[in-house]
């Protein structure tokens, strides 16, 4: 690949990112794009249109994972994959996932403009439902590609309204058998995901790009507490079985378990607390908690889950409530591929970018792609480490650096 770059700007990419952000279930600048919602479908159409304009050929699998292929001269070779997701949690910003999809497309367009001819095909992947919002489990599309979530398990998934994955994906136009989503190892030669860091380190240290060596191990446990409802005035405090006060103890027990591992890498969050019936003058009879526990050390993460289970058992005995727990997922961490990291490093040096090796504390589709292909991730800074919020921000320079390093790396790997 030539090292002399014509004057390429990423103004087009920035405009596309902004346009994509306007396709939202919430009032801009807030981005909410839950899988298979109208906004998700319109965003997919927009992204696919851009890929088609770039001459890529598009295919989709039965769960809606989308593959946009730039055909290499040796088309039979497994391709180099890049990409991420465009679904967004409620009240999100515009960079999480989208930088990896539209930035991946931009990296391909840069190579096209430079006259590069790939030997291996380069395939941009838009994964379905990286975010767990609708079905309670993250990385749905990549998880199914790696067959970590089987078709039978997928068919049992329901959203909060009780609508099944099967109904929703077919209504969205993805009708093939779910059995066809899993792909064999070797389907991709290598896979690289560009993403914002979602943490503060790169910005604080003034570093252009992060080369991700490991992806932390995420787990989620759902906890349902059944107490006894009743009148908030009429029922006296002795003998109450308030499901929410029981839940409060569990939330604090989880926080304490995560803080007491002695490792800064252990994190635990209760992001969902649904109270039934949810009336100010009614004692909560049922509470549903969704917990998120992560660590770069899977065994240490599991000890925190055990502590949560022990707290549940103890609270049942003491408060007389009933508690059921369901382990939604407990995924192992992933290790990135040394050869891709070396290629990323070489590209960062050649592009004149500063870099550091680092761990991803957030999970990504790469966690599951790592089961079927060598992967690595390329991080760019985000302001204040802020993510999963509308004020998430990555500067044009940061995005430009990421695209530059990604495009060089794709060129090296596809040659
Ligand atoms: C992905 O969005 C995550 O929660 O890490
Ligand atoms: Mn996210
Ligand atoms: Mn993401």
């Amino acid at each position: 690949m030539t090292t002399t770059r014509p004057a390429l700007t990423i103004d087009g990419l920035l405009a596309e990112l902004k346009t994509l952000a306007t396709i939202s279930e919430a009032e801009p600048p807030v981005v909410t794009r839950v899988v298979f919602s109208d906004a998700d479908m319109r965003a997919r159409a927009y992204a696919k249109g851009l890929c088609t304009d770039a001459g890529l050929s598009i295919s989709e699998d039965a769960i809606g994972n989308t593959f946009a292929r730039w055909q290499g001269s040796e088309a039979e070779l497994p391709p180099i994959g890049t990409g991420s997701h465009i679904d967004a949690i409620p009240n999100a910003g515009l960079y999480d996932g989208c930088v990896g999809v539209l930035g991946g497309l931009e990296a391909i367009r840069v190579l096209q403009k430079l006259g590069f001819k790939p030997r291996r095909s380069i395939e941009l992947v838009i994964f379905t439902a990286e975010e767990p919002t609708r079905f309670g489990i993250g990385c749905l599309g990549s998880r199914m590609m790696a067959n970590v979530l089987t078709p039978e398990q997928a068919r049992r998934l329901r959203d909060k309204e009780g609508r099944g994955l099967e109904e929703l994906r077919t209504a969205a136009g993805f009708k093939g058998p779910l059995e066809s989503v899993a792909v064999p190892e070797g389907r991709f030669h290598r896979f690289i995901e560009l993403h914002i860091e979602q943490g503060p380190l790169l910005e604080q240290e003034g570093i252009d790009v992060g080369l991700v060596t490991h992806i932390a191990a995420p787990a989620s446990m759902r906890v349902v507490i059944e107490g006894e409802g009743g009148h908030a005035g009429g029922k006296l405090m002795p003998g109450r079985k308030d499901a929410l006060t029981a839940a409060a103890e569990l939330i604090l027990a989880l926080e304490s378990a995560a803080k007491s591992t002695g490792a800064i890498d252990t994190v635990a969050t209760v992001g969902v607390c649904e109270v039934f019936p949810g009336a100010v003058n009614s004692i909560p009879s049922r509470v549903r908690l969704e917990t998120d526990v992560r660590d770069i050390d899977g065994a240490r993460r599991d000890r925190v889950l055990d502590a949560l289970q022990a707290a549940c058992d103890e609270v049942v005995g003491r408060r007389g409530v009933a508690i059921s727990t369901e382990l939604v997922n407990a995924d192992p961490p992933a290790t990135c591929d040394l050869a891709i990291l070396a290629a990323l490093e070489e590209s960062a040096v050649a592009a004149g970018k500063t870099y550091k090796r680092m761990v991803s504390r957030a999970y990504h589709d790469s966690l599951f792609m790592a089961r079927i292909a060598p992967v690595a991730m390329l991080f760019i800074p985000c302001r204040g480490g802020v993510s999963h919020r509308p004020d998430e921000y990555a500067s044009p320079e940061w995005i430009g650096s990421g695209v530059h390093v990604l495009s060089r790396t794709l060129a090296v790997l596809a040659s």
Side-chain angles (χ1 to χ4, degrees), residues 83-390:
S84 193
H85 62 100
I86 57 171
D87 66 318
I89 65 160
N91 204 42
L94 75 92
Y95 300 90
D96 176 6
C98 301
V99 161
V101 170
L102 297 187
L105 173 60
E106 179 70 2
I108 290 173
R109 289 185 303 215
V110 165
L111 295 178
Q112 291 174 335
K113 283 185 199 141
L114 290 172
F116 176 71
K117 300 275 178 250
R119 182 172 75 93
R120 283 182 189 276
S121 302
I122 299 179
E123 224 169 279
L124 180 73
V125 188
I126 308 174
F127 294 101
T128 286
E130 190 265 357
E131 302 291 6
T133 312
R134 185 154 208 168
F135 298 109
I137 186 158
C139 301
L140 188 59
S142 51
R143 203 181 272 277
M144 290 193 70
M145 279 174 72
N147 207 25
V148 174
L149 183 77
T150 63
E152 303 80 67
Q153 291 168 324
R155 277 190 275 270
R156 287 199 291 273
L157 293 176
R158 299 261 170 286
D159 71 5
K160 272 212 304 262
E161 281 75 47
R163 298 184 69 188
L165 171 76
E166 205 50 8
E167 172 199 342
L168 288 160
R169 63 127 191 159
T170 48
F174 305 116
K175 296 187 199 296
L178 286 180
E179 281 67 17
S180 60
V181 175
V183 300
E185 215 177 315
R187 160 73 175 80
F188 288 91
H189 182 63
R190 303 262 187 271
F191 182 83
I192 312 178
E193 182 170 2
L194 170 67
H195 206 282
I196 56 169
E197 180 196 343
Q198 304 182 289
L201 300 181
L202 293 174
E203 185 194 30
Q204 274 171 9
E205 296 171 27
I207 292 173
D208 297 321
V209 291
L211 314 186
V212 174
T213 57
H214 296 87
I215 305 173
S220 175
M221 192 184 264
R222 197 171 285 145
V223 182
V224 177
I225 303 123
E226 302 274 358
E228 206 171 85
H231 196 286
K235 192 156 173 62
L236 298 178
M237 298 309 283
R240 279 198 186 193
K241 293 181 182 170
D242 182 327
L244 184 56
T245 51
E249 290 207 45
L250 299 180
I251 294 169
L252 292 175
L254 179 62
E255 182 186 55
S256 151
K259 280 182 163 173
S260 60
T261 63
I264 194 75
D265 296 314
T266 321
V267 289
T269 308
V270 180
V272 174
C273 175
E274 268 180 17
V275 181
F276 182 83
V280 67
N281 55 354
S282 176
I283 300 164
S285 62
R286 188 173 68 243
V287 170
R288 187 169 67 93
L289 302 178
E290 287 185 21
T291 69
D292 179 308
V293 186
R294 311 186 192 199
D295 203 315
I296 53 173
D297 178 333
R300 195 167 53 204
R301 187 258 341 254
D302 289 346
R303 287 197 288 278
V304 174
L305 291 170
D306 291 345
L308 174 61
Q309 185 62 58
C312 291
D313 298 343
E314 194 273 326
V315 165
V316 166
R318 187 158 43 75
R319 287 183 171 267
V321 293
I323 301 182
S324 60
T325 55
E326 181 196 348
L327 189 62
V328 179
N329 64 291
D331 302 302
T335 303
C336 293
D337 178 67
L338 292 177
I340 308 180
L341 288 169
L344 282 166
E345 188 168 331
E346 249 179 64
S347 300
V349 171
K353 305 295 174 190
T354 54
Y355 65 90
K356 71 178 279 183
R357 294 191 175 214
M358 62 193 308
V359 162
S360 169
R361 293 172 194 286
Y363 59 70
H364 302 281
D365 293 301
S366 291
L367 187 67
F368 295 95
M369 290 302 283
R371 309 273 195 117
I372 51 170
V375 304
M377 293 191 69
L378 177 63
F379 275 178
I380 56 167
C382 58
R383 187 178 57 199
V386 165
S387 183
H388 283 183
R389 277 174 28 186

